[in-house]
Amino acid sequence: MSLPLLSHDTAGEGPVLLLLHSSVCDRRMWDPQWRMFLDAGHRVVRCDFRGHGDTPAARGPYRDATDVRDVLDALGIAEAAVVASSAGGAVALELAARLPERVTSLVLLNTASPAHRPSAALRDFDAREAALLDSGDVAGAVELNVATWLGPEADANTRAMVRLMQRRAFEAHLAVENAEDGGPADGGEGAAEAGAPAFRLRDVRARTLAVSGAHDLPDFREIAAGLPGLLPAARHVELPWAGHLPSLERPAETALLVLDFVRDRQGTGVPRR
């Protein structure tokens, strides 16, 4: 049985910007940039991955990159520049590797990577989150994520926004896991699609700007700094003020960085000062 299309929004006319959210959030994380991208002359698309926002959690195999491709197909979009945060960045890399003709450029904000081995710090975070959820302390797990993933620039409203999005994701996945007719839900990062081929980072051909935040965990800074050595057309920039979610911490500045890069047909990819 085929799964329903991801919940999504689209508006505007012009070159397509596809926005992929972090696993801490849902498509609402792009609210602060939505109007800026439209006013800059783009058609903007954003979607909720399974178990996030308005897209229900799924039981059984699926692949996020395939879900995103299906949204593009349904909207009649042949190609897009992709802006992706954290776990959404891993989805964007897979999409660009498996369907290089459909991704014109990538802006990866503190991206995850399938090639990265988690550090002790990231493993400790995962263990603390799992322990809180196993004990039924969803509120505690939410606060752990808010404290870990938002940098010092995030204000109270931003923290409240992330709190709501993360709690909704936890509740969606837990509802499936606790269903009487089955065990834990499959899904999230690494959800497998039957017969899906492995992808190789070297197959990514799109111009890529890999962004890291100086206040983020070392894992994501290392991933971003290493991408220019793995991708044929990648550059790295570190934001000294940023945590893990710069698009929420300084929305306007991050939007301008994105727009500078996707408009830069010469490939320099360096934000204007």
Side-chain angles (χ1 to χ4, degrees), residues 24 129 132-133 137-149 159 162-168 170:
V24 183
E129 181 187 70
L132 289 165
L133 292 173
D137 188 1
V138 174
V142 168
E143 291 307 317
L144 173 64
N145 276 271
V146 171
T148 301
W149 303 122
R159 294 178 185 277
V162 171
R163 194 173 285 118
L164 288 171
M165 291 187 287
Q166 177 65 93
R167 186 175 190 95
R168 182 163 183 154
F170 280 148

Side-chain angles (χ1 to χ4, degrees), residues 48-193:
D48 285 331
F49 295 131
R50 301 202 183 278
H52 296 267
D54 294 327
T55 304
R59 185 179 302 282
Y62 68 90
R63 202 162 196 95
D64 291 317
T66 301
D67 287 339
V68 172
R69 179 207 65 194
D70 291 345
V71 170
L72 295 178
D73 288 349
L75 296 174
I77 294 172
E79 63 178 24
V82 184
V83 183
S85 176
S86 189
V91 179
L93 285 166
E94 180 173 351
L95 188 71
R98 293 176 65 190
L99 298 168
E101 73 282 359
R102 301 193 69 171
V103 178
T104 59
S105 58
L106 291 168
V107 179
L108 304 175
L109 305 173
N110 293 303
T111 186
S113 169
H116 180 72
R117 292 187 177 183
S119 68
L122 188 55
R123 293 196 304 271
D124 178 67
F125 166 82
D126 288 340
R128 291 167 63 197
E129 181 187 70
L132 289 165
L133 292 173
D134 288 346
S135 71
D137 188 1
V138 174
V142 168
E143 291 307 317
L144 173 64
N145 276 271
V146 171
T148 301
W149 303 122
L150 284 170
E153 296 287 318
D155 62 20
N157 287 337
T158 299
R159 294 178 185 277
M161 181 182 181
V162 171
R163 194 173 285 118
L164 288 171
M165 291 187 287
Q166 177 65 93
R167 186 175 190 95
R168 182 163 183 154
F170 280 148
E171 289 174 346
H173 287 290
L174 289 169
V176 175
E177 291 180 7
N178 295 332
E180 294 181 356
D181 61 345
D186 292 327
E189 305 317 311
E193 177 186 69

Side-chain angles (χ1 to χ4, degrees), residues 16 18 24 33 45 53 88 96 173-174 190 198 228 239 250 252 265 268:
V16 178
L18 171 64
V24 183
Q33 284 91 31
V45 179
H173 287 290
L174 289 169
L239 305 177
R250 286 194 187 178
R265 299 302 180 185
T268 61

